[in-house]
Amino acid sequence: MSNSHDQHEAHTGPIKSPKQLVWASIAAFVIPVFIIIGLVYYVTSANKEAPGASDAERAVAERIQKVGTVEVRDANRPLKAGEEVYKAQCAACHAAGAAGAPKFADAGAWGARIKQGFETLVNSALKGKGAMGAQSGGDFSDVEIARAVAYMANNAGGKFEEPKAPAAAEGEKK
């Protein structure tokens, strides 16, 4: 008798009751539906713009732009005065003494720096020193930065002459 019972068990499937049949039928319908929904979402999500990328043409142009740019400036424009360059470039830090910058017209803070000489001060301004970034290559020429250095140092007790335009530029003006 046990032999016939074992043979009967060997020929039946994994579903043993009507309740299991109902759950298997529901799962056979619901699981593929969710898989299809997930696949559709996956395929269509590739075409969505990233958050904040409302101007797709501009974003593409920014991504494919050249690494370097060339800016053509008028080499014969008149040089800016030291005070004008100071107000535009240097005053942000030197007026308040931000990040250890010597304050404008503070003879005590500028004294040791002035003793190092004008060329050392200009070199520090052009290449950067401490928290101050390099000023060379910005909106102002190196001569204009040197004029601003002379202006700041002279207002703190220095006796530096404001640099003149380079000889080549003076020759072209004549």
Side-chain angles (χ1 to χ4, degrees):
M1 183 158 184
S2 67
N3 193 11
S4 71
H5 186 271
D6 288 338
Q7 287 178 350
H8 186 308
E9 284 288 324
H11 295 294
T12 61
I15 299 173
K16 307 260 188 264
S17 69
K19 186 176 181 181
Q20 288 178 335
L21 179 62
V22 169
W23 282 112
S25 299
I26 292 172
F29 175 74
V30 172
I31 292 174
V33 168
F34 280 113
I35 290 173
I36 291 169
I37 290 171
L39 287 173
V40 168
Y41 180 75
Y42 175 74
V43 169
T44 59
S45 67
N47 296 330
K48 291 183 181 177
E49 292 181 7
S54 58
D55 189 1
E57 288 182 21
R58 185 179 62 107
V60 169
E62 286 177 3
R63 285 194 304 270
I64 64 173
Q65 75 178 353
K66 294 180 180 175
V67 174
T69 58
V70 175
E71 183 178 332
V72 179
R73 295 184 184 179
D74 183 8
N76 296 321
R77 70 173 170 79
L79 292 175
K80 305 277 188 202
E83 181 179 4
E84 188 177 349
V85 175
Y86 164 77
K87 288 178 180 176
Q89 187 81 10
C90 311
C93 296
H94 286 282
K103 285 186 177 181
F104 182 75
D106 183 356
W110 279 95
R113 291 171 174 87
I114 291 171
K115 288 179 186 175
Q116 293 175 354
F118 182 67
E119 292 303 318
T120 304
L121 287 172
V122 172
N123 190 40
S124 294
L126 294 176
K127 293 183 178 178
K129 184 171 184 175
M132 179 179 68
Q135 303 302 311
S136 181
D139 292 336
F140 300 103
S141 70
D142 290 357
V143 174
E144 290 171 322
I145 296 295
R147 286 178 158 204
V149 169
Y151 173 75
M152 288 188 290
N154 290 344
N155 277 286
K159 304 283 186 224
F160 301 123
E161 185 178 330
E162 189 174 84
K164 303 291 183 219
E170 286 179 5
E172 291 174 4
K173 288 181 183 176
K174 290 182 181 177

